Amino acid sequence: MDMKKRMSLKASVLGLAAAMTMGLAGTSVMAKDINSQIIRFGYGLADSSPSGHAVRFFAEEVGKLSDGKMKVKTYGNGSLGSDEQMQNALIGGSQEITFVSTAPLAGLVKGFGVFDLPFLFDNEKVADAVLDGPAGQKLLDTLPEKGLIGLLYWENGFRNITNSRHEISKMEDIKGIKLRVMQNEVALAVFNGLGANAIPMPFTELFTALETKTVDGQENPLSTIKTSKFYEVQPYLTISNHVYTPFVLLASKRWWDGLTADEQDVLKQAAKTSQAYQRKISREADSNALQYIKDQGVKVSKFSAEEKEKIRTTLEPIVAKLRTEIGPETVDEVMQAAKNAQ
Ligand code: KDG
């Protein structure tokens, strides 16, 4: 080999070595700091609910983003307990993720009770703007000191009343109905204020309570009335849209604090993509559910605009009192944000 050829061979060997070193260094910078682990995600709604689909979507996203290292195991139908029990399991660190209605969260942070005030949001667009904006974030920011991470909001939706006693088409018809409500003071005060005999109870006990007539009725979004089969034991439905309930996607702070930044990023990204998916399918499912419920023989009534106005006026003094209890600042901020979003 002549001198020139030997030099060029040496140069290419050196070049290859340099490229390999850079490549390896590049890999070690790029590689995500992610450990293999199992993440338990429990929730109260049926597996077939739109949120159940969204949980599985979230699990797939986490799997993809972590190269299969982070495995989300899903537990629907309240198999890990009620919203409140799961909240506590997250605080204690024996469960990693859940989504809960804001109603039981008000037991930890009173401000979340604002979402149980009637007719707060006119439509989903307003709800999204308030929840994804500063007012919604401010509430999520109160959770870490309670041992929880509020990743973001999903949708539970606009609630409607069902019962087994009689048709409810006017405010007066609510009088004397034993109505299951979510477990917080605001929901209780609102329905008692309308003359119901409001009974707070976890969602996990609801179907049996309706079936055995321990309670006469309940209120939930149409997709839940369908997927939890309440129509089987509730012959009357009233389209009331009296409250929009958000879900909060929650993580255990105890667990979260031990995760690497890359692991937290995977979960945050998956939460964000699944939020858009969850809201989309939740809305589709809600609009399809009405026909299905009618087809099951349920008698459907609707509160007229005048009836809603009557309810609003009747509840005015109660809402004023609740504003003080929830925290006037929070209530005013959320109401103002809702007005701005219209
Ligand atoms: O998975 C969520 C349910 O547990 C619950 O939050 C649903 O709106 C609900 C209710 O009525 O309790």
Side-chain angles (χ1 to χ4, degrees):
M1 208 182 273
D2 67 19
M3 183 73 164
K4 213 167 155 201
K5 269 196 183 150
R6 216 178 300 143
M7 293 258 309
S8 105
L9 180 66
K10 196 173 170 197
S12 39
V13 169
L14 280 176
L16 186 66
M20 279 176 68
T21 315
M22 274 172 65
L24 283 177
T27 314
S28 68
V29 170
M30 296 292 291
K32 289 189 203 154
D33 186 7
I34 293 180
N35 301 295
S36 297
Q37 57 193 294
I38 303 234
I39 299 163
R40 287 157 294 188
F41 189 152
Y43 57 97
L45 291 183
D47 286 335
S48 59
S49 65
S51 301
H53 288 289
V55 168
R56 292 187 288 280
F57 178 89
F58 172 84
E60 276 171 31
E61 284 297 295
V62 170
K64 269 190 243 162
L65 293 166
S66 66
D67 294 325
K69 287 187 182 161
M70 297 167 83
K71 290 193 174 59
V72 178
K73 273 196 94 177
T74 66
Y75 302 85
N77 295 312
S79 55
L80 295 188
S82 66
D83 283 8
E84 215 171 10
Q85 285 166 329
M86 288 191 287
Q87 263 170 221
N88 290 333
L90 260 57
I91 294 168
S94 59
Q95 183 184 326
E96 289 75 34
I97 302 189
T98 186
F99 67 79
V100 295
S101 289
T102 43
L105 273 178
L108 293 175
V109 177
K110 274 185 177 296
F112 279 105
V114 67
F115 300 116
D116 293 296
L117 291 177
F119 309 124
L120 191 63
F121 299 146
D122 280 353
N123 54 52
E124 286 104 352
K125 201 179 124 264
V126 172
D128 291 354
V130 176
L131 296 168
D132 300 344
Q137 188 56 47
K138 213 180 215 176
L139 281 164
L140 295 183
D141 290 344
T142 61
L143 289 170
E145 68 192 48
K146 303 291 176 191
L148 296 167
I149 301 291
L151 286 165
L152 38 69
Y153 294 93
W154 276 7
E155 169 158 298
N156 190 347
F158 282 101
R159 305 175 80 87
N160 298 291
I161 304 167
T162 65
N163 88 100
S164 57
R165 285 267 296 275
H166 53 69
E167 186 179 350
I168 298 178
S169 57
K170 299 185 300 306
M171 185 180 83
E172 287 75 27
D173 299 332
I174 298 174
K175 206 160 180 232
I177 296 278
K178 276 190 279 164
L179 192 86
R180 176 270 177 176
V181 294
M182 289 192 285
Q183 292 160 287
N184 84 22
E185 298 301 325
V186 181
L188 199 64
V190 165
F191 279 101
N192 281 335
L194 293 176
N197 176 4
I199 302 168
M201 178 186 287
F203 184 78
T204 38
E205 292 168 26
L206 183 51
F207 186 89
T208 308
L210 294 170
E211 193 178 30
T212 56
K213 298 212 162 57
T214 307
V215 293
D216 303 316
Q218 63 87 42
E219 38 87 61
N220 252 298
L222 294 173
S223 63
T224 301
I225 294 167
K226 177 184 172 189
T227 57
S228 289
K229 298 191 177 3
F230 294 155
Y231 59 83
E232 286 183 357
V233 287
Q234 299 277 274
Y236 303 101
L237 162 68
T238 308
I239 305 297
S240 49
N241 290 322
H242 53 278
V243 153
Y244 174 96
T245 305
F247 279 140
V248 181
L249 188 55
L250 287 176
S252 157
K253 184 171 186 299
R254 248 191 193 201
W255 166 69
W256 184 263
D257 287 347
L259 295 177
T260 67
D262 285 337
E263 290 166 346
Q264 291 181 353
D265 277 351
V266 163
L267 295 161
K268 283 190 213 158
Q269 270 190 57
K272 193 75 207 149
T273 23
S274 62
Q275 181 190 51
Y277 177 78
Q278 195 270 348
R279 283 177 172 164
K280 183 173 173 285
I281 60 167
S282 157
R283 284 159 201 181
E284 282 166 9
D286 226 48
S287 46
N288 296 335
L290 184 58
Q291 191 54 48
Y292 181 89
I293 294 166
K294 276 185 187 164
D295 291 346
Q296 308 311 305
V298 173
K299 177 147 189 15
V300 180
S301 326
K302 193 172 175 181
F303 279 153
S304 64
E306 299 81 67
E307 212 53 45
K308 283 191 181 175
E309 202 39 51
K310 204 158 87 189
I311 293 175
R312 208 189 290 268
T313 317
T314 306
L315 289 175
E316 249 165 33
I318 294 168
V319 170
K321 202 166 152 263
L322 289 169
R323 176 179 168 269
T324 318
E325 284 165 23
I326 295 165
E329 243 180 63
T330 307
V331 174
D332 295 350
E333 192 177 353
V334 170
M335 284 185 169
Q336 188 57 49
K339 228 182 198 171
N340 296 346
Q342 259 158 359

